[in-house]
Amino acid sequence: MVHDEAYMRRCLDLAALGAGTVSPNPMVGAVIVCDGRIIGEGYTSPYGGPHAEVNAVQDAMRVLGEELAKQLFKRSTIYVSLEPCAHHGNTPPCADMLVRHRFARVVIGCLDPFAKVNGQGLQKLQASGMVTEVGVLESECRFMNRRFFTRITQQRPYVILKWAETNNGMFAPVEPGQAWISNKASKQLVHKWRSEEDAVLVGTATALLDNPSLTVRLWKGRNPKRVLIDRDLVVPADAALYDEAAETIVFNAIKTDWHAKLKLIALENFPLYLPQNILYQLYLMDVQSIIIEGGVKTLQQFIHAGIWDEARVFVSPTTWTNGIASPVLNQDPASSIAVGSDTLSFYFNT
């Protein structure tokens, strides 16, 4: 069991390498072990490409040669952080491939709630006579794919709230204007986060005051979709959000118009259930995760609606004499770390 957990942790390390590229698929890692030695490993390719199990098998064949690898598979254990798929999508079923190679044992971190899998992959393996075990590091494996599970089970993206506040709980100056609170390391970390999620959202006030581009300029990776809440379409056409760096989706009360990378989506009864309606529209667009970056009103709308999953809050050592108060979560952080001079706290809506 100790060895099983060690190999499953390696699966999770591999799975994390797919962050920002596999959505709306889950992040999965796979490790093949024969006689106490790893002979192949892999993780899910960018969306549309081979899954983790296929990449692990191909890795073993590349290193050992196809014939020797196939012989060793018959006495090998393959570890996979999520149940192998059982249906034809962009790729053939991984469960069928494992059966074809006649692995001696399959260890699965957690089952897949997707309707076309949901135990069916496990059933295929067991029906073939393979020894199977499910639930090794299950909570860690489920946490790895919390975005995927939220989208499948709740029909909405996984929602991450993010903001920075002063040491005495101030979010922004009282007078309109831009004032940085967090340090350079924290800012770079935010750009890394953007590269890992499908979308990032701000409200009208943030777009007008800060003129953010919401890209990953300080990190290597792909830009997320940019989402703007702009009821009356007052953000000017020359705003940084409207450049060609990434797709921009604007939820408003006036018109629907899709052109190139700009999508205007009009919502009826605009203020009514606004967070819910926005998230459902994004779900329909295969957005699996989103970071809500501000401002206070926008963040507070999602908090009041109870529709958030995770919050990441930077606290600077800076103190202001006055300012706009930060959102309030009314709970203690799950954990905190230092990011330079800032303290970063993580909260979960459980």
Side-chain angles (χ1 to χ4, degrees), residues 151 154-157 199 201 225 227 247 249-252 256 258 263-268 270 273-288 290:
R151 178 176 176 271
Q154 300 188 42
Q155 290 77 55
R156 65 165 177 82
L201 179 149
K225 297 178 189 294
V227 182
E247 179 180 337
I249 303 165
V250 184
F251 290 101
N252 67 92
T256 295
W258 291 33
K263 296 178 172 62
L264 304 180
I265 301 177
L267 299 176
E268 295 184 10
F270 187 85
Y273 300 113
L274 184 60
Q276 293 90 333
N277 287 334
I278 286 174
L279 293 180
Y280 184 65
Q281 290 295 325
L282 294 174
Y283 162 78
L284 295 177
M285 300 169 75
D286 277 342
V287 172
Q288 185 163 263
I290 186 167

Side-chain angles (χ1 to χ4, degrees), residues 202-212 228-229 234-235 294-298:
V202 296
T204 305
T206 298
L208 291 174
L209 293 173
D210 296 346
N211 193 28
L228 171 64
I229 303 175
V234 298
V235 176
V296 170
K297 179 182 176 182
T298 300

Side-chain angles (χ1 to χ4, degrees), residues 8 12 26-27 81-82 109-114 118 135-150 153-154 158:
M8 190 59 71
L12 292 171
M27 296 183 289
S81 55
L82 185 69
C110 63
L111 296 181
D112 186 339
F114 183 51
N118 199 17
V136 175
L137 298 186
E138 181 174 9
S139 60
E140 290 92 335
C141 290
R142 291 186 61 83
F143 185 78
M144 172 63 65
N145 277 308
R146 58 197 185 278
R147 299 163 180 83
F148 175 73
F149 286 177
T150 297
T153 61
Q154 300 188 42
Y158 185 86

Side-chain angles (χ1 to χ4, degrees), residues 10 33 60 75 79 106 147 213 233-234 258 273 292 309 325:
R10 177 58 183 164
V33 178
R75 65 172 195 265
Y79 295 83
V106 183
R147 299 163 180 83
S213 63
L233 295 178
V234 298
W258 291 33
Y273 300 113
I292 313 295
D309 300 287

Side-chain angles (χ1 to χ4, degrees), residues 55-104:
N55 286 333
V57 165
Q58 291 179 344
D59 181 49
M61 290 181 174
R62 182 171 55 252
V63 173
L64 301 172
E66 185 172 342
E67 290 306 315
L68 177 57
K70 286 182 177 180
Q71 293 176 25
L72 295 182
F73 291 160
K74 296 174 185 178
R75 65 172 195 265
S76 296
T77 296
I78 182 167
Y79 295 83
V80 58
S81 55
L82 185 69
E83 177 184 8
C85 62
H87 66 293
H88 283 271
N90 291 321
T91 60
C94 290
D96 289 354
M97 181 204 64
L98 299 184
V99 170
R100 186 170 64 252
H101 286 300
R102 296 167 58 192
F103 279 89

